[in-house]
């Protein structure tokens, strides 16, 4: 599993290829839908691996506060996962990029990070939100995802590890190229 690591302020940002349900970070992030009742892709994998306790808490959340709006995040137990928590967020469905998709997918990452910090979580793993069933082009999603996380880590020092867990080689390669480009752009000149 090839790994790319960079240090951003007080945190380590890593890209790995693998299965997010195997991660040992304090929290893993689920690319859910607004119903929070599970689904396919990473949502299905997390509920399968984490067990019914996760869905029970999701049902409680929906009965208390209704469906989860796109770009927002909520937290549940990690159930049987090695991670203690699952942060569920809803990314935008891609409709061509002119319906607020970049802002909404950025919000999904930012709200997940803010929620993690508010719960004293120090390490978190993300999947590539919206780039599967929701059809967000990976190149564009990677740019927004990485820039949003990097900007957050420059402001906030409570997190010490953020891992992007990319499932397939193509997505992992695109995130790696994108991270290299962003880092070289931000690198102090001279
Ligand atoms: N670990 C890490 N990444 C994974 C895993 C896994 N076990 N399984 C799938 N992925 C990757 C996909 O390959 C894709 O790159 O997660 C990324 C996001 O794909 P989806 O899971 O389809 O999520 P998204 O595009 O945000 O669509 C969300 O799909 O599963 C339903 O209920 C979910 O309606 C919601 C929609």
């Amino acid at each position: 599993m090839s790994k790319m690591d960079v240090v951003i302020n007080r945190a380590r940002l890593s890209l790995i290829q693998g299965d997010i349900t195997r991660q040992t970070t304090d929290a893993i992030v689920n690319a859910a839908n607004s119903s929070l009742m599970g689904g396919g892709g990473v949502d299905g994998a997390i509920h399968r691996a984490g067990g019914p306790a996760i869905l029970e808490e999701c049902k409680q959340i929906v009965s208390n506060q209704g469906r989860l709006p796109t770009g927002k995040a909520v937290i549940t137990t990690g159930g049987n996962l090695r991670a203690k928590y699952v942060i569920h967020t809803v990314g935008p469905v891609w409709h061509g990029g002119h319906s607020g998709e970049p802002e909404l997918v950025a919000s999904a990452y930012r709200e997940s990070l803010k929620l993690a910090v508010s719960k004293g979580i120090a390490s978190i793993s993300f999947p590539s939100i919206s780039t599967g069933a929701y059809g967000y082009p990976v190149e564009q999603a990677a740019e927004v995802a990485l820039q949003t996380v990097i900007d957050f880590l420059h402001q906030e020092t409570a997190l010490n590890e953020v891992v992007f867990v990319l499932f397939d080689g193509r997505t992992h390669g695109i995130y790696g190229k994108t991270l290299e480009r962003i880092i070289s752009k931000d690198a102090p000149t001279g």
Side-chain angles (χ1 to χ4, degrees), residues 134-154:
Y134 281 2
Y136 207 123
V138 182
E139 296 79 358
Q140 298 181 59
E143 180 80 33
V144 177
L146 290 165
Q147 194 62 66
T148 301
V149 169
I150 288 168
D151 292 348
F152 186 90
L153 293 177
H154 279 306

Side-chain angles (χ1 to χ4, degrees), residues 30 32-33 35-40 43-44 47 55 58:
N30 180 23
N33 60 64
S35 76
L36 292 179
M37 291 301 112
D43 197 3
H47 281 280
L55 187 61
C58 286

Side-chain angles (χ1 to χ4, degrees), residues 28-91:
I28 66 170
V29 175
N30 180 23
N33 60 64
S34 292
S35 76
L36 292 179
M37 291 301 112
V42 71
D43 197 3
I46 288 174
H47 281 280
R48 250 190 323 279
I54 298 174
L55 187 61
E56 280 319 302
E57 290 194 14
C58 286
K59 285 176 180 169
Q60 198 56 48
I61 290 167
V62 171
S63 68
N64 292 345
Q65 60 188 64
R67 293 165 62 87
L68 184 62
T70 301
K72 300 293 182 197
V74 292
I75 191 167
T76 68
T77 178
N80 305 323
L81 291 169
R82 300 155 91 177
K84 273 181 69 184
Y85 302 101
V86 178
I87 289 175
H88 306 261
T89 191
V90 180

Side-chain angles (χ1 to χ4, degrees), residues 18-21 31-33 38-46 91-92 127-136 165-168 171:
D19 176 349
I20 200 166
T21 66
N33 60 64
V42 71
D43 197 3
I46 288 174
S128 175
I129 297 169
S130 282
T131 64
Y134 281 2
Y136 207 123
V165 185
L166 291 329
F167 202 48
D168 60 274
T171 303

